[in-house]
């Protein structure tokens, strides 16, 4: 028979449908968006096959996106002659829930989803969705402990008759998690404890079944967190049953599940989607209300205050996740539970501030600002001495929030924001802290806001003052001044000669004099404001850093503080005096992340202003090294080796700064003298260790390569290095005060407690020994050496010792990448769409301008090695007989410029891509394969974004992690620094 012609469009449409369903089940929102973009052309030619648009709900979908999807599905349902498909109805219900229409969603399910179950899976889906909405209704029950009657559960049971699964329940089907949870809550309210345990057992069985379904090697942390959180919810309900049976006290239950250390008080730290977090928080709220009904006295008792605190937490989490409908619902429940009679009470104003924040999320910023101004007016009208601490805190919080919105949307002038909001807020917070030592975090946040605002004003005004336009205006002002003097002489002459137009000239002179005076005052005010804003910013940052605790949010403000200081250190000695005063109060751990930038400024100078700066800077360097020796000393020693490039092949490329080296050596001696015995001995230990590393790094490797000795080269056979400088022997004479592993520094401790040399610092190990042999790398221009360092806790750390190579720039770039990871990690999950974005980094420790030690990244393979290695490379294994890598390169090099495109096309025909086999070989199951590809593409995306922002980065070696498929970058950094100066 003659084969029917294949319609490629129909095949593409079928493939699109299958792929969309797979990606929907995997919850890959990014891939779904990309699929929609890639199929634009097919939809353009065949719109009839895509009339329903999406048939799923993205987990990261905003209420507005859910509304659009809802309208599209509604239009599609209107076009169809039959009822919408069952899955479409589920999506309609989910969209209504996303935009906050939970009651409408329940009614819709009961009316339209009661029939046409395609399978038991469909039935379970609708039953679980219905059950969750059903038990959530208890959130709106304001249980009053004063009520004499027990809670009437009958009306809730009557609603089960409306359930879409009521008449179709299959006794052989396992009850789902939410269905069992609903029945457990019902039984608990009826004091039917045997049924509580029965339904809890069914709910746990359902959870174990879900866990077995998703169980596989290397399961995603997010899935484990979701299942673990549901298990915690069931444990919480079980213990609540024990409380109701008097086997556990209410206070014990509250202490276990509502303390600051409990999981329900730290949900925002979990790597989970908001919907999953909010569902557990809703269950926690229901349990608290049941407890309050049975054992509470009033909203101000222990149970009532805990419930109130929880509802405030729901509001805050929902706002942070950009879910204003959920936040508004929680606020309404809070107001219903804790009713306030007075409209001017602090709690009422607090409710109003929360409502203002929610209103702003809905897009009505002007109304939110008016809310804040009204709150500020009412609180400011009270006598300052009669305001309570709570009222003062609320006033400061409102001023800061109002200033943030006014700044973001440019609603008011900078002067109003600064003088009426930020300065009073910072002053009020400091007075509150100075008086009662309360809310140091409020002092930090208010001064951070003031400092950032003042720093932005300083940058903009300084840019204006230094601009060409400002210079032209200055020239014009001086010209008008000369014109004024000439006109003054003219008026004098006409007055003496009693000229007829004397009055006219005098009027012109008076007018011009006023204009010149106004211009000079304005210019003087603008130029003076530069210094005022600078001092205000530094003062504000200093006050904030001196009172704040260690947190991520401090890091960016430390950057600003140091940047402002360094940019103005030689212009005005007053700035150095101001900074010096604050450095005495600011804990030194704040500056550890900026050690490279701070230490590199050390120098010796005869200029008085520079001497003032160097004095303050060197005091800071000493403090850092004495309080955080494992982080600071190694950097100082590297700077002291600034002229240690004698044996380097690139000796001519390095210009030693003799004054810097001398200054650093004096600082090291000062640290020995003023620091503790532990610090002084540690300096000597690090000096010995660094000298040994440098000796190995500069060891010539030609004779080893010629003899084929690249592995297991024993140190005892090396004659070029003195025995006391060989790594395995260099620290044998030192029984204590051993250095830490260079490539694994300890965590920065705010209290500067690193064990004083007696114990290992937290997060690291001290050096115990080195293996007696080393190896050479298989490739590399200078053939770096591979050594293994053993830690005091038994850890084994592989290190790459490089010589004739400047890795100082690599270290700075790794610092940039680490900072980028911190920012991405602490960015709101919803802002990143729930994506786990990060770069794999490794430690780079420069020891001199030409040597350094790098952390060996385990379980990685260069992409080039995987693809192009002769005989074993993926391309040769999967495409034998095709052109090789060298032939393709030669073909491109030999082709004339006019034929480059044709040559490239020819190469593509003879060289097939083969990197996709990396994922098939290393990740055996479909889930792992897909997950690995997503990790790889996202890590590539982050590296591309960083490269785009910083400048072009030339990739020297792209390395892929064989365990996680993450993307590790090793770069030619010179291109970055070259482009920065173009």
């Amino acid at each position: 028979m003659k084969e029917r012609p294949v319609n490629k469009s129909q095949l593409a449409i079928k493939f699109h449908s299958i792929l969309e369903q797979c990606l929907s089940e995997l919850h890959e929102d990014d891939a779904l968006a990309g699929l929609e973009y890639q199929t634009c052309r097919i939809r353009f030619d065949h719109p009839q096959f895509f009339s329903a648009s999406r048939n799923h709900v993205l987990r990261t979908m905003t209420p507005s996106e859910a509304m659009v999807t809802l309208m599209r599905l509604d239009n599609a349902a209107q076009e169809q002659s039959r009822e919408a498909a069952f899955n479409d109805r589920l999506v309609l219900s989910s969209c209504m829930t996303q935009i906050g229409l939970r009651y409408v969603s329940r009614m819709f399910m009961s009316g339209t989803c009661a029939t046409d179950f395609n399978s038991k899976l469909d039935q379970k889906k609708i039953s679980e969705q219905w059950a969750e909405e059903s038990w959530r209704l208890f959130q709106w029950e304001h249980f009053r402990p004063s009520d004499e009657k027990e809670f009437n559960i009958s009306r809730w049971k009557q609603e089960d008759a409306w359930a879409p699964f009521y008449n179709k329940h299959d006794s052989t089907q396992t009850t789902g998690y939410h269905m069992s949870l609903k029945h457990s809550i019902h039984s608990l309210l009826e004091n039917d404890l045997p049924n509580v345990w029965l339904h809890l057992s069914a709910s746990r069985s359902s959870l174990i079944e879900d866990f077995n379904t998703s169980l596989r090697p290397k399961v995603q942390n997010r899935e484990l967190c979701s299942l673990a959180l549901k298990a915690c919810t069931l444990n919480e309900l079980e213990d609540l049953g024990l409380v109701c049976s008097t086997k556990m006290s209410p206070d014990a239950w509250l202490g276990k599940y509502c303390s600051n250390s409990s999981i329900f008080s730290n949900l925002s730290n979990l790597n989970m989607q908001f919907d999953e977090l909010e569902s557990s928080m809703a269950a926690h709220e229901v349990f608290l209300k049941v407890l309050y009904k049975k054992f509470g006295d009033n909203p101000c008792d222990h149970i009532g205050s805990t419930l109130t605190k929880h509802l405030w937490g729901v509001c805050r989490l929902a706002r942070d996740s950009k879910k204003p409908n959920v936040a508004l619902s929680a606020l309404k429940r809070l107001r219903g539970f804790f009713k306030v009679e007075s409209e001017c009470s602090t709690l009422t104003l607090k409710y109003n501030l929360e409502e203002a924040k929610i209103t702003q999320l809905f897009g009505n910023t002007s109304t939110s600002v008016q809310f804040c101004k009204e709150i500020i007016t009412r609180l400011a009208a009270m006598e300052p001495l009669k305001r309570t601490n709570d009222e003062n805190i609320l006033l400061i919080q409102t001023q800061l929030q109002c200033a943030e919105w006014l700044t973001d949307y440019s609603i008011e002038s900078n002067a109003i924001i600064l003088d009426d909001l930020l300065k009073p807020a910072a002053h009020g917070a400091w007075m509150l802290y100075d008086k009662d030592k309360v809310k140091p975090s409020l002092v930090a946040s208010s001064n951070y806001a003031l400092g950032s605002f003042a720093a932005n004003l300083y940058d903009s005004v300084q840019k204006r003052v230094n601009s060409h336009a400002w210079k032209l205006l200055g020239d014009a002002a001086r010209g008008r001044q000369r014109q004024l003097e000439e006109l003054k002489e003219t008026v004098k002459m006409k007055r003496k000669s009693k000229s007829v137009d004397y009055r006219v000239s005098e009027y012109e002179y008076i007018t011009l004099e006023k204009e010149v005076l106004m211009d000079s005052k304005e210019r003087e005010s603008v130029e003076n404001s530069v210094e005022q804003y600078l001092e205000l910013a530094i003062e504000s940052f200093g006050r904030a850093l001196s009172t704040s605790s260690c947190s991520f949010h401090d890091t960016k403000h430390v950057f600003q503080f140091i940047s402002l200081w360094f940019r103005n250190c030689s212009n005005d000695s007053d700035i150095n005096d101001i900074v010096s005063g604050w450095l005495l109060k600011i804990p030194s751990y704040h500056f550890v992340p900026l050690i490279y930038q701070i230490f590199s400024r050390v120098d010796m100078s005869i200029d008085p202003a520079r001497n003032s700066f160097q004095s303050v800077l060197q005091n800071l360097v000493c403090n850092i090294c004495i309080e955080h020796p494992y982080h600071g000393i190694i950097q100082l020693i590297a700077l002291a080796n600034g002229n240690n490039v004698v044996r380097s092949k690139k000796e001519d490329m390095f210009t030693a700064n003799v004054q810097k080296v001398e200054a650093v050596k004096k600082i090291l001696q000062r640290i020995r003298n003023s620091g503790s015995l532990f610090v002084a001995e540690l300096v000597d230990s690090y000096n010995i260790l660094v000298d040994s590393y440098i000796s190995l790094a500069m060891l010539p490797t030609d004779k080893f390569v010629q003899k084929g000795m690249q592995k297991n080269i024993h140190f005892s056979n090396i004659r070029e290095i003195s025995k006391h400088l060989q790594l395995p022997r260099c620290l044998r004479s030192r029984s204590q005060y051993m250095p830490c592993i260079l490539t694994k520094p300890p965590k920065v401790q705010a209290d500067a407690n690193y064990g004083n040399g007696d114990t290992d610092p937290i997060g690291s190990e001290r050096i115990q020994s080195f293996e007696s042999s080393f190896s050479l790398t298989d490739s590399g221009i200078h053939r770096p050496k591979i050594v293994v360092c053993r830690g005091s806790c038994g850890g084994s750390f592989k290190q790459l010792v490089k010589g004739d190579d400047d890795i100082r720039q690599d270290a700075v770039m790794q610092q940039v990448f680490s900072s980028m990871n911190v920012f991405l990690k602490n960015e709101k999950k919803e802002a990143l769409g729930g994506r786990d974005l990060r770069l794999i980094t490794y430690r780079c420790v420069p020891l001199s301008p030409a040597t350094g030690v790098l952390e060996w990244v385990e379980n990685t393979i260069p992409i080039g090695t995987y693809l192009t290695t002769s005989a074993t490379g993926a391309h040769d294994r999967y495409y034998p007989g095709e052109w090789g890598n060298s032939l393709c390169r030669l073909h491109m090099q030999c082709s004339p410029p006019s034929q480059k495109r044709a040559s490239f096309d020819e190469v593509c025909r003879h060289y097939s891509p083969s990197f996709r086999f990396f994922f098939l070989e290393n990740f055996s199951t479909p889930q792992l394969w897909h997950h690995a590809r997503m990790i790889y593409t996202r890590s590539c995306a982050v590296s591309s974004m960083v490269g785009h922002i910083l400048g072009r980065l030339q990739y020297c070696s792209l390395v892929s992690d064989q365990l996680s498929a993450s993307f590790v970058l090793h770069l030619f950094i010179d291109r970055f620094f070259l482009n920065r100066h173009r």
Side-chain angles (χ1 to χ4, degrees):
M1 293 179 62
K2 186 178 181 181
E3 293 186 1
R4 297 177 60 184
V6 178
N7 189 322
K8 293 184 178 180
S9 296
Q10 291 182 356
L11 287 177
I13 292 168
K14 291 180 180 179
F15 178 71
H16 170 276
S17 177
I18 296 170
L19 190 57
E20 184 181 40
Q21 184 176 356
C22 293
L23 294 175
S24 301
E25 293 295 329
L26 290 169
H27 301 289
E28 288 294 344
D29 299 348
D30 291 333
L32 284 164
L35 178 65
E36 186 174 352
Y37 174 79
Q38 294 293 334
T39 54
C40 283
R41 183 172 181 179
I42 302 176
R43 289 203 309 273
F44 183 83
D45 293 330
H46 305 277
Q48 68 275 15
F49 295 106
F50 298 90
S51 57
S53 186
R54 292 194 182 112
N55 62 345
H56 58 277
V57 176
L58 302 182
R59 294 187 299 174
T60 57
M61 185 178 288
T62 62
S64 59
E65 291 172 334
M67 179 65 78
V68 172
T69 302
L70 184 64
M71 290 188 292
R72 287 178 176 175
L73 286 171
D74 181 77
N75 289 333
Q78 293 179 46
E79 295 173 5
Q80 296 173 359
S81 57
R82 59 180 179 82
E83 292 187 11
F86 180 80
N87 190 58
D88 288 349
R89 283 178 270 164
L90 279 179
V91 175
L92 283 167
S93 175
S94 299
C95 288
M96 285 186 255
T97 301
Q98 284 277 16
I99 61 179
L101 302 177
R102 290 192 175 275
Y103 181 79
V104 177
S105 175
R106 289 181 70 253
M107 295 299 101
F108 175 80
M109 281 190 288
S110 63
T112 65
C113 297
T115 58
D116 298 337
F117 292 132
N118 297 329
S119 64
K120 290 184 178 181
L121 181 61
D122 288 344
Q123 182 177 346
K124 186 173 181 179
K125 282 182 179 180
I126 190 64
S127 65
E128 282 290 276
Q129 193 167 340
W130 170 273
E132 182 179 3
E133 296 305 320
S134 181
W135 67 254
R136 277 175 172 275
L137 291 175
F138 288 109
Q139 290 180 275
W140 294 95
E141 282 295 328
H142 303 308
F143 300 122
R144 301 297 180 193
S146 57
D147 294 345
E148 296 181 358
K149 297 180 180 179
E150 287 293 326
F151 177 71
N152 186 7
I153 199 70
S154 60
R155 70 185 184 91
W156 297 107
K157 287 188 173 182
Q158 290 174 1
E159 292 199 6
D160 284 348
W162 305 346
F165 52 84
Y166 188 81
N167 295 321
K168 292 184 173 287
H169 182 68
D170 186 354
S171 59
T172 63
Q173 185 176 347
T174 305
T175 307
Y177 167 81
H178 287 291
M179 179 62 66
S180 300
L181 184 63
K182 180 180 84 74
H183 290 321
S184 298
I185 296 173
H186 284 186
S187 301
L188 190 64
L189 287 169
E190 290 183 315
N191 293 319
D192 185 3
L193 295 181
N195 267 331
V196 172
W197 313 134
L198 181 65
H199 294 306
L200 266 175
S201 178
S203 189
R204 283 198 171 100
S205 298
S206 174
L207 200 60
I208 292 173
E209 183 180 337
D210 293 340
F211 181 74
N212 288 332
T213 302
S214 62
L215 185 61
R216 59 183 184 273
K218 306 174 192 174
V219 66
Q220 294 187 49
N221 290 335
R222 189 167 56 194
E223 296 178 24
L224 288 177
C225 285
S226 177
L227 293 170
L229 192 56
K230 288 181 179 179
C232 289
T233 300
L234 296 180
N235 291 340
E236 185 182 12
L237 179 58
E238 182 179 16
D239 286 348
L240 184 59
L242 294 177
V243 173
C244 294
S245 63
T246 68
K247 294 181 180 179
M248 185 178 188
S249 67
D251 288 338
W253 189 91
L254 291 173
K256 184 176 182 179
Y257 295 106
C258 302
S259 63
N260 292 331
S261 60
S262 70
I263 188 172
F264 296 101
S265 300
N266 298 278
L267 289 176
S268 58
N269 297 328
L270 299 178
N271 182 26
M272 295 174 61
Q273 294 296 329
F274 171 78
D275 290 343
E276 296 170 338
L277 294 176
E278 195 271 336
S279 179
S280 292
M281 295 187 79
H284 186 62
E285 178 185 345
V286 171
F287 300 156
L288 281 171
K289 288 192 172 182
V290 172
L291 191 69
Y292 179 70
K293 165 64 182 174
K294 294 181 177 293
F295 302 99
D297 294 324
N298 58 74
C300 295
D301 66 6
H302 189 194
I303 302 174
S305 60
T306 303
L307 177 55
T308 302
K309 179 183 176 181
H310 173 75
L311 287 171
W312 280 117
V314 174
C315 288
R316 182 173 58 255
L317 180 63
R319 283 192 291 100
D320 291 343
S321 302
K322 308 299 182 186
K323 300 288 185 179
N325 52 309
V326 178
L328 184 61
S329 174
L331 181 61
K332 287 182 178 179
R333 296 196 301 274
L334 180 59
R335 278 178 159 164
F337 173 73
F338 204 116
K339 294 183 178 179
V340 182
E341 301 297 335
S342 173
E343 296 182 357
C344 297
S345 67
T346 305
L347 189 55
T348 301
L349 296 178
K350 193 175 180 181
Y351 287 155
N352 291 334
L353 176 59
E354 188 67 24
E355 186 176 352
K357 294 177 181 179
I358 297 170
T359 303
Q360 194 275 333
L361 286 178
F362 279 115
N364 195 347
T365 305
S366 58
T367 301
S368 300
V369 169
Q370 288 303 117
F371 266 60
C372 288
K373 288 183 176 179
E374 185 63 28
I375 296 171
I376 293 171
T377 301
R378 296 196 181 189
L379 290 173
M382 304 178 185
E383 293 185 20
L385 296 178
K386 292 185 178 181
R387 282 200 299 261
T388 64
N389 283 348
D390 288 342
E391 289 170 340
N392 283 321
I393 291 171
L394 179 60
L395 175 60
I396 295 166
Q397 290 173 340
T398 308
Q399 288 170 332
L400 293 176
Q401 185 62 77
C402 187
E404 180 183 342
W405 289 334
L406 292 176
T407 304
D408 291 343
Y409 294 94
S410 302
I411 299 175
E412 294 281 7
S413 66
N414 291 331
I416 291 177
I417 297 172
L418 187 65
D419 297 330
D420 295 351
L421 296 172
L422 291 177
K423 283 185 177 180
H427 177 73
W430 178 253
M431 294 301 294
L432 193 65
Y433 174 75
D434 190 49
K435 177 183 176 183
D436 299 322
K437 301 301 179 184
V438 297
K439 284 288 184 179
S441 59
L442 194 60
V443 178
S445 60
S446 60
N447 279 279
Y448 281 148
L450 177 59
S452 298
F453 191 80
N456 290 335
L457 289 178
Y458 165 75
D459 289 336
S460 62
V461 175
Q462 186 186 46
K463 184 178 180 181
R464 178 186 175 191
V465 170
N466 294 334
S467 66
H468 181 65
W470 184 261
K471 293 179 181 178
L472 293 178
L473 289 175
D475 294 339
R478 286 188 289 272
R480 289 169 67 84
Q481 183 66 41
R482 290 192 297 269
Q483 181 183 357
L484 180 64
E485 292 173 357
E486 293 173 358
L487 188 58
K488 183 178 180 181
E489 295 297 326
T490 302
V491 170
K492 286 182 180 179
M493 292 175 58
K494 289 186 177 181
R495 183 187 299 170
K496 289 181 180 180
S497 61
K498 297 181 180 181
S499 175
V500 179
D501 57 348
Y502 160 71
R503 294 294 180 184
V504 176
S505 298
E506 185 179 34
Y507 178 76
E508 291 178 1
Y509 171 75
I510 294 172
T511 303
L512 183 59
E513 184 181 33
K514 290 181 180 179
E515 292 177 357
V516 169
L517 183 62
M518 290 175 61
D519 288 345
S520 62
K521 285 184 177 180
E522 182 181 356
R523 287 184 63 82
E524 184 179 0
S525 174
V526 171
E527 290 172 352
N528 290 339
S529 66
V530 174
E531 185 176 350
Q532 294 171 3
Y533 290 143
L534 174 61
E535 293 182 0
L536 178 61
I538 290 180
E539 291 277 1
S540 301
F541 284 136
R543 185 173 290 108
L545 290 171
S546 65
T547 56
S548 69
S549 58
C550 185
S551 69
F552 150 75
H553 299 287
D554 297 336
T555 305
K556 60 181 180 182
H557 299 299
V558 174
F559 289 175
Q560 288 180 295
F561 178 79
I562 294 296
S563 175
L564 288 171
W565 178 28
F566 282 1
R567 284 157 53 192
N568 297 276
C569 61
S570 59
N571 299 335
D572 191 349
S573 59
D574 290 344
I575 296 301
N576 294 318
D577 294 338
I578 295 172
V579 171
S580 176
W582 282 115
L583 289 180
L584 297 175
K585 303 175 183 178
I586 300 174
S588 60
Y589 72 86
H590 283 297
F591 304 105
V592 172
L594 284 174
I595 277 181
Y596 287 127
Q597 288 73 20
I598 293 173
F599 285 22
S600 65
R601 291 295 188 107
V602 172
D603 203 348
M604 295 181 68
S605 177
I606 59 174
D607 180 41
R610 294 287 298 173
N611 278 339
S612 173
F613 166 67
Q614 284 297 321
S615 175
V616 178
L617 178 66
Q618 292 180 23
N619 287 336
L620 174 60
V621 170
C622 286
N623 275 342
I624 292 174
C625 290
I626 291 173
E627 296 182 5
H628 309 276
Y630 291 116
H631 301 86
I633 290 176
I634 187 65
Q635 305 302 330
L636 268 188
I637 293 176
L639 290 173
N641 289 326
N643 55 0
N644 189 357
V645 292
V646 177
R647 290 182 293 166
S648 173
K649 297 178 182 178
K650 299 182 178 180
E651 182 179 349
D652 297 336
M653 296 178 59
F654 302 109
T655 303
N657 187 333
V658 180
Q659 290 184 340
K660 181 187 289 291
V661 172
E662 290 300 320
V664 170
K665 289 181 178 179
K666 288 183 178 180
I667 293 175
L668 283 171
Q669 187 59 43
R670 177 179 169 186
I671 292 171
R672 285 191 183 95
N673 297 334
S674 58
S676 63
L677 176 63
F678 157 58
V679 174
E681 292 291 332
L682 201 59
V683 171
D684 294 336
S685 297
Y686 270 115
N687 265 320
I688 295 172
L689 179 65
V690 168
D691 289 343
S692 299
Y693 270 120
I694 292 176
S695 298
L696 178 62
M698 301 308 299
L699 177 69
T701 59
D702 296 340
K703 65 176 184 178
F704 301 116
V705 175
Q706 291 173 0
K707 295 179 181 180
M709 298 172 56
Q710 299 184 23
K711 305 295 181 183
N712 298 322
I713 305 172
H714 287 271
F715 281 97
S716 57
N717 298 329
I718 306 300
R719 305 303 179 191
E720 292 85 351
I721 303 177
S722 303
K723 290 185 177 180
H724 72 279
L725 284 179
Q726 293 180 357
L727 277 178
R729 300 187 179 192
C730 65
L731 295 173
R732 284 184 180 179
S733 62
R734 308 192 68 81
S735 58
Q736 55 182 349
Y737 308 122
M738 298 290 282
C740 273
I741 308 294
L742 290 191
T743 52
K744 188 177 176 60
K747 294 181 179 179
V748 178
Q749 301 297 317
D751 58 358
N753 181 12
Y754 295 99
N756 290 323
D758 300 325
T759 59
D760 288 333
I762 297 174
S764 183
E765 300 179 34
R766 291 172 295 170
I767 295 176
Q768 183 70 30
S769 63
F770 287 87
E771 286 193 355
S772 59
S773 61
F774 66 93
S775 302
L776 303 180
T777 58
D778 296 330
S779 60
I781 300 175
H782 306 293
R783 303 303 289 268
K785 293 85 177 175
I786 302 171
V787 299
V788 177
C789 179
R790 301 202 181 279
S792 52
C793 294
S796 180
F797 303 90
K798 208 170 183 180
Q799 298 172 339
L800 199 65
V801 183
K802 299 188 73 173
D804 274 332
D805 197 357
D806 188 358
I807 69 166
R808 292 175 295 181
Q809 297 169 351
D810 299 65
V812 173
M813 288 308 301
Q814 290 302 320
Q815 180 194 28
V816 171
F817 294 157
S818 298
S819 299
M820 192 71 180
N821 282 339
V822 172
F823 291 131
L824 290 171
K825 179 181 178 181
N826 290 275
E827 185 60 59
K828 296 172 183 177
K829 293 189 289 291
E830 299 301 322
L832 296 176
R835 306 169 186 89
D836 183 18
L837 301 181
R838 65 191 179 99
L839 282 168
I840 302 296
T841 60
Y842 53 91
R843 292 286 303 177
C844 295
V845 185
L847 303 178
S848 73
T851 60
V853 179
L854 284 77
E855 178 184 5
W856 185 273
V857 185
E858 297 288 353
N859 303 310
T860 56
I861 180 174
I863 294 179
T865 301
Y866 172 78
L867 293 176
T868 62
T869 302
S870 178
T872 60
H875 186 264
D876 286 349
R877 287 187 285 115
Y878 289 100
Y879 298 102
E882 286 196 345
W883 288 6
N885 190 51
S886 301
L887 180 59
C888 293
R889 184 183 292 110
L890 181 64
H891 185 76
M892 291 297 299
Q893 290 174 350
C894 296
S895 65
S898 59
Q899 298 294 321
K900 287 291 184 184
R901 179 52 193 257
S903 298
F904 176 75
D905 293 337
E906 182 72 13
V907 167
C908 290
R909 285 191 292 270
H910 292 86
Y911 194 92
S912 303
S914 54
F915 184 60
R916 64 182 183 275
F917 297 109
F918 173 83
F919 301 97
L920 291 172
E921 292 175 356
N922 291 279
F923 306 95
S924 55
T925 66
Q927 296 94 333
L928 287 177
W929 172 83
H930 177 76
H931 181 57
R933 285 171 62 93
M934 288 296 102
I935 290 179
Y936 178 78
T937 54
R938 285 169 182 166
S939 58
C940 287
V942 175
S943 65
S944 298
M945 289 187 289
V946 174
H948 176 74
I949 294 171
L950 298 180
R952 290 180 295 171
L953 297 178
Q954 182 178 357
Y955 301 130
C956 168
S957 174
L958 309 182
V959 185
S960 186
D961 191 329
Q962 291 175 295
L963 295 181
S964 67
S966 296
F967 187 64
V968 188
L969 274 74
H970 180 57
L971 308 170
F972 277 140
I973 309 297
D974 295 334
R975 177 67 62 86
F976 163 74
F977 288 96
L978 178 63
N979 284 318
R980 289 291 91 188
H981 297 288
R982 285 183 176 175

